[in-house]
Amino acid sequence: MLQNFKFFFKLNTIDKGVLFMLLSALIGALNGAVAKFLSQSMDPIEIVFYRNLIGVLIVLYSFKKFSVSIDTSKLHLLILRGVFGALAMVLFFYTIATIPLGEAVVLNKTSPFFVTILAYYLMKETITLRIFFALIIGFIGIVFIMKPFGVEISIEHIFGVLGGFFAACAYATIKKIKDIYDARVIMLSFMGIGVLIPLALFLFTPYVHFKIHTDIFIWALIVFMAIISTASQWFLTRAYSISQASIIGVVSYSNIPFAIGFGVILGDSLPDLYTFLGIVFIVIGGILVSKKSLK
């Protein structure tokens, strides 16, 4: 009887974790759709600036309610996490604006492969034969999506893969500081730098242009995007806290069909054969990589 109760409790816990991850994936895809819609009126780097600026204000307000102390012993890692996270966000929002939403999300989901490679070189973690084949499968998927079969390779797809790499760098850095800094401090690091990088690009390069927006609808969408981004992160955190990381890692790939659906609604075409094969390969590779945490 006690064993049946434990099994039911475990199953119920996993179901809640899966539900939270599905909600996070759906809201995350919606966040990407809002960013893509806004990119019709705003520079994607400008979207990053305002999204992070609102996030900074939200986090700073939370400090008034619950104060935290900041340990300066690992401040360099905290700054690195901020730089990596901000660069990942800038590149992700740029690819959202320039290629189909589903493809941008898939390329961003290459981060688990880079995390595995970084863990091997930086943390001396072993790579099994299965993980090695998973990395090869993921790489083949990237090739299919980028379609470098002609003379020219899309710079937008390269930026998408770079976004996945910087996201992996940010995740690897979090492992070093998650027990030292409050989650809000870690969020503030990348949101704060996520404000400074777009501002620097606007002030010192000719490639980024900010405009004065008077449309209330645009500002409402920016605020909405900041709120749902926070909600997506909360559901993601809850999912990983109550279920096995391997299970949640697999379920997290559900944001790909969500993103493709939102992209089609916004005018993207359905994935062609090469792109579809690339998605399949990356998902299979990602699932194989995520299962390493079962051992």
Side-chain angles (χ1 to χ4, degrees):
M1 181 70 179
L2 182 60
Q3 288 181 341
N4 290 336
F5 176 77
K6 287 182 177 179
F7 174 79
F8 174 78
F9 178 77
K10 183 178 180 182
L11 181 63
N12 188 48
T13 301
I14 291 176
D15 286 344
K16 284 184 179 179
V18 169
L19 175 62
F20 285 145
M21 188 64 246
L22 286 172
L23 287 171
S24 175
L26 176 61
I27 297 172
L30 176 61
N31 179 62
V34 174
K36 189 173 185 66
F37 180 80
L38 282 172
S39 67
Q40 300 173 8
S41 306
M42 305 175 67
D43 191 296
I45 310 302
E46 187 181 7
I47 299 173
V48 174
F49 172 80
Y50 287 119
R51 182 255 176 270
N52 283 318
L53 181 61
I54 295 173
V56 166
L57 295 176
I58 293 173
V59 173
L60 289 177
Y61 178 77
S62 74
F63 287 161
K64 287 187 175 183
K65 300 293 183 179
F66 305 98
S67 60
V68 295
S69 58
I70 299 179
D71 186 344
T72 58
S73 62
K74 299 293 183 180
L75 197 59
H76 62 292
L77 290 178
L78 184 66
I79 295 173
L80 268 180
R81 187 271 179 265
V83 171
F84 290 145
L87 288 174
M89 182 181 289
V90 166
L91 291 168
F92 180 52
F93 274 56
Y94 176 79
T95 54
I96 282 177
T98 53
I99 65 176
L101 181 59
E103 292 183 26
V105 169
V106 171
L107 292 176
N108 191 255
K109 294 295 286 185
T110 58
S111 56
F113 306 118
F114 293 120
V115 168
T116 301
I117 296 172
L118 290 171
Y120 173 76
Y121 283 105
L122 301 180
M123 305 170 192
K124 308 304 179 183
E125 293 185 6
T126 58
I127 294 181
T128 64
L129 186 62
R130 189 192 69 209
I131 299 302
F132 176 77
F133 279 118
L135 295 175
I136 297 298
I137 291 171
F139 175 76
I140 293 173
I142 295 172
V143 170
F144 273 120
I145 290 179
M146 293 179 66
K147 295 185 277 290
F149 309 118
V151 177
E152 185 176 349
I153 298 178
S154 168
I155 189 66
E156 289 81 8
H157 289 86
I158 293 176
F159 283 161
V161 176
L162 281 175
F165 171 74
F166 283 121
C169 292
Y171 298 149
T173 309
I174 288 175
K175 286 188 176 183
K176 294 285 189 180
I177 63 175
K178 64 182 178 66
D179 297 324
I180 301 174
Y181 295 105
D182 183 270
R184 289 170 297 159
V185 174
I186 296 175
M187 289 175 62
L188 185 63
S189 70
F190 92 86
M191 287 181 180
I193 296 176
V195 170
L196 296 177
I197 289 179
L199 189 60
L201 290 173
F202 166 66
L203 293 175
F204 302 112
T205 73
Y207 306 111
V208 177
H209 305 282
F210 285 15
K211 301 176 183 176
I212 298 176
H213 300 280
T214 58
D215 191 339
I216 297 178
F217 181 65
I218 289 179
W219 289 108
L221 283 179
I222 294 173
V223 174
F224 176 68
M225 184 173 61
I227 292 173
I228 63 176
S229 295
T230 304
S232 178
Q233 286 298 312
W234 186 87
F235 282 123
L236 179 70
T237 302
R238 286 291 294 150
Y240 274 104
S241 66
I242 65 177
S243 293
Q244 293 182 27
S246 57
I247 296 174
I248 300 305
V250 172
V251 178
S252 70
Y253 281 88
S254 62
N255 72 337
I256 293 175
F258 289 143
I260 292 174
F262 283 125
V264 171
I265 292 173
L266 292 175
D268 291 342
S269 58
L270 288 171
D272 59 22
L273 178 60
Y274 286 123
T275 301
F276 178 76
L277 288 174
I279 292 172
V280 171
F281 278 121
I282 288 177
V283 171
I284 292 174
I287 290 173
L288 290 174
V289 168
S290 68
K291 281 188 175 181
K292 70 179 181 179
S293 58
L294 281 170
K295 296 189 175 182

